């Protein structure tokens, strides 16, 4: 039996989010990876605590930063996921994530 929806990166990531109770605003595909857009650093922290990974931060405009978690649907393997959160440049990441910031 063939699945109704193709099991691309976005579908696999949506299943991972649902199984782990992870928040997300939007999930899209870009090549062989999924892009997840969250409401902020608290949601990005939830993804990190569930899946691990490494976190980067880059300027996204005056007073704004884009935080990105680089992870996978399963710890250390599976479909690559990039979880994004916009935040003020004065906002701090949760201390539980500090060691993952590159």
């Amino acid at each position: 039996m063939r699945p109704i929806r193709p099991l691309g990166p976005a579908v696999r990531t949506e299943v991972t989010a649902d199984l782990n109770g992870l928040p997300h605003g939007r999930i899209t595909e870009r090549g062989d990876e999924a892009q997840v857009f969250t409401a902020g650093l608290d949601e990005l922290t939830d993804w990190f605590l569930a899946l691990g990974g490494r976190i980067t931060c880059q300027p996204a405009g005056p007073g704004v930063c884009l935080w990105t978690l680089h992870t996978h649907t399963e710890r250390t393997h599976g479909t690559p996921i990039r979880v994004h959160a916009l935040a003020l440049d004065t906002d701090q990441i949760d201390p539980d994530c500090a060691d993952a910031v590159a």
Side-chain angles (χ1 to χ4, degrees):
M1 176 184 254
R2 298 177 75 191
I4 295 172
R5 290 172 61 186
L7 297 178
V11 173
R12 290 181 181 151
T13 300
E14 187 176 350
V15 169
T16 298
D18 291 345
L19 289 174
N20 289 284
L22 297 171
H24 57 84
R26 181 177 172 204
I27 299 175
T28 62
E29 287 182 19
R30 186 172 188 184
D32 65 347
E33 70 180 25
Q35 304 282 320
V36 178
F37 300 89
T38 64
L41 289 177
D42 289 340
E43 291 186 1
L44 185 129
T45 297
D46 292 340
W47 280 82
F48 172 75
L49 294 176
L51 301 174
R54 109 185 129 76
I55 299 171
T56 60
C57 182
Q58 61 187 15
V64 180
C65 290
L66 177 65
W67 292 84
T68 303
L69 169 64
H70 305 261
T71 190
H72 296 85
T73 52
E74 300 172 40
R75 282 193 180 262
T76 70
H77 65 284
T79 301
I81 305 172
R82 304 296 174 256
V83 182
H84 305 289
L86 281 173
L88 296 174
D89 62 3
T90 56
D91 291 347
Q92 298 295 312
I93 193 92
D94 187 290
D96 290 334
C97 303
D99 289 342
V101 177

